[in-house]
Amino acid sequence: MCVICYGDRAALAVALPEIIREFHLTHGEAGLVLSSFLWSYFFLNLPSSILLDRIGPRRVGFWAVGIWSAAMIQGAIAWTLPAFILSRIVLGVGESPTFALGATVMRKWAPPAQSGLAMTAFTSGISIGLGLGALASGYLVSRFGWRPAFILLGVIGFVWCTSWLAIYPARSPQPVQQDHAKRRNFSIRPFFASPSFWGVVVAQCCVNYANFLMMSWLPVILGQKMHLSLFDASWYTACCYAGAVIVSLAAGKAGERFLSGYGLQSGARRYMVAFCLVMVASVGLLPFLQSVPASMICLIVSMGFVTAGSGANMALLADLLIQHESLGAANGLVLTFSNGVGILAPIMTGYIRQITGSFQDVFFMVACVLVAGAIAAMLLPRRVIAVSNGAES
């Protein structure tokens, strides 16, 4: 499911030059199109999670993937820009419960000792989907056009829906019962009073901005910088994501070794978060690099540390939060803020490209944003977060 989800997202980024030509878009309008699925995705993350708890993963999985697959086909037969944007908004509706559904299935079925590995396997679908989606879309769009490519990807989603109903049991194990007294007493106010929480939020917003920028504009950026055809740009994009997976795993392993001698509740993991954000900021060097190998290495390092930094930041939140039964709500709040900032990335990139005529200023700006996030990560997350009594400990 995760691979298909991000493969469908990659398809739009790869097909964007063709869509710009067909709908006669400016780069600013293209940025709005790239962000349009996030308009519904952002607002429906929480409601779709509530629906998931009520009717279960089997039905939500079927309807979610079915809706976004139908949206892919709807986009393929849209002949006006408003109709195409509507298809992207509907796609966001379908994709909104993806991560909640994955986490729920892992919690229900994975043995506790293997739940971390199961979630890692699930989230690895992000990079796999973006890489394979870029490669497959590049071939299909260059060979048959973007409309047949979208239809084929939609059909793949419907095949998954049928398989899901056949594989996932109608009755699943009951999740561990929560402490309802703790849930009744829980409040989000203490999070807003915690400098440590805001340090995590600012860092996540900065890294998410870079993530959404690359996810939406990378094939176009590579095509322009390296003078590549549509298929070659998609191939280089896939290579970037493949290399980024290796970098992120190596960075995560090295970070755990570095932190092994530190007390994590004192916020020591913030050093890893700050380092990762600085490494992501290395993308600001891209305009100065003229050779293809150097540009690729820069992008692979930056994209790899996006994943490593996001993971380290979420782990930092878990380190500092005393009441671990509140971790889900804390993660939800952080993702709400960071996804809200992520919506701006495709739009601002498009308008900067339209005004300046190049992507150079985009890289300089995002590098400054990431350095600011690294500073916030270093200075703010220093104390544990206690939510039971409404104050930070």
Side-chain angles (χ1 to χ4, degrees):
M1 179 186 66
C2 195
V3 169
I4 295 171
C5 174
Y6 279 84
D8 288 353
R9 295 188 193 186
L12 177 60
V14 170
L16 188 62
E18 300 293 324
I19 293 171
I20 287 175
R21 280 192 288 270
E22 182 165 331
F23 290 111
H24 307 290
L25 304 179
T26 66
H27 279 85
E29 291 169 338
L32 290 170
V33 170
L34 285 168
S35 70
S36 55
F37 90 92
L38 288 165
W39 303 348
S40 53
Y41 182 85
F42 170 72
F43 287 107
L44 291 178
N45 277 149
L46 182 58
S48 64
S49 299
I50 295 172
L51 181 65
L52 175 67
D53 289 338
R54 292 187 177 181
I55 70 174
R58 190 170 189 264
R59 283 188 285 177
V60 169
F62 174 81
W63 285 107
V65 181
I67 288 171
W68 94 52
S69 299
M72 288 293 291
I73 296 175
Q74 176 195 349
I77 60 177
W79 293 99
T80 65
L81 182 59
F84 184 75
I85 289 177
L86 177 62
S87 75
R88 304 306 296 180
I89 295 173
V90 174
L91 183 136
V93 172
E95 291 190 350
S96 59
T98 300
F99 281 95
L101 193 149
T104 298
V105 172
M106 297 305 121
R107 187 179 73 243
K108 285 177 177 290
W109 291 98
Q114 298 178 16
S115 60
L117 178 60
M119 278 304 298
T120 299
F122 170 69
T123 55
S124 68
I126 297 174
S127 295
I128 295 171
L130 290 170
L132 291 181
L135 193 58
S137 300
Y139 173 78
L140 292 170
V141 172
S142 61
R143 185 76 181 269
F144 305 106
W146 71 270
R147 293 182 185 275
F150 274 40
I151 291 173
L152 179 58
L153 291 170
V155 170
I156 292 173
F158 284 123
V159 172
W160 185 94
C161 290
T162 304
S163 303
W164 180 247
L165 287 182
I167 292 171
Y168 197 88
R171 298 183 64 182
S172 59
Q174 293 299 313
V176 178
Q177 296 296 317
Q178 297 181 4
D179 188 331
H180 294 285
K182 289 181 179 178
R183 188 167 60 184
R184 284 195 301 269
N185 293 332
F186 172 72
S187 171
I188 65 172
R189 287 184 187 176
F191 290 118
F192 297 130
S194 167
S196 294
F197 175 75
W198 285 113
V200 172
V201 167
V202 171
Q204 194 65 29
C205 286
C206 294
V207 77
N208 218 34
Y209 186 94
N211 185 33
F212 276 77
L213 186 161
M214 296 178 188
M215 190 188 305
S216 54
W217 280 101
L218 184 59
V220 177
I221 292 171
L222 287 173
Q224 178 178 301
K225 180 175 176 59
M226 301 180 186
H227 308 289
L228 302 173
S229 67
L230 188 147
F231 177 74
D232 288 340
S234 67
W235 169 254
Y236 278 98
T237 299
C239 290
C240 284
Y241 280 115
V245 171
I246 298 172
V247 170
S248 64
L249 292 174
K253 187 69 175 178
E256 291 302 319
R257 288 184 178 179
F258 172 76
L259 294 168
S260 60
Y262 290 87
L264 297 181
Q265 279 201 337
S266 64
R269 201 182 297 270
R270 70 183 185 274
Y271 299 118
M272 177 64 179
V273 175
F275 175 76
C276 287
L277 265 64
V278 170
M279 294 303 294
V280 179
S282 64
V283 75
L285 300 173
L286 194 62
F288 303 105
L289 303 176
Q290 301 303 318
S291 71
V292 172
S295 298
M296 291 291 291
I297 291 172
C298 178
L299 283 168
I300 288 171
V301 169
S302 181
M303 293 164 65
F305 277 96
V306 163
T307 303
S310 182
N313 200 44
M314 291 295 96
L316 173 63
L317 179 62
D319 293 341
L320 296 175
L321 190 63
I322 293 179
Q323 287 80 15
H324 275 254
E325 68 275 3
S326 304
L327 186 58
N331 278 320
L333 283 172
V334 172
L335 291 174
T336 297
F337 283 111
S338 61
N339 283 334
V341 172
I343 292 174
L344 300 175
I347 301 172
M348 293 185 65
T349 300
Y351 278 106
I352 291 172
R353 168 64 178 80
Q354 180 177 321
I355 293 169
T356 64
S358 74
F359 289 103
Q360 289 191 8
D361 291 335
V362 170
F363 299 122
F364 298 148
M365 188 192 79
V366 75
C368 292
V369 167
L370 288 160
V371 170
I375 293 171
M378 282 294 296
L379 297 179
L380 295 177
R382 294 172 175 269
R383 304 175 65 189
V384 296
I385 305 169
V387 298
S388 59
N389 57 4
E392 184 183 18
S393 174

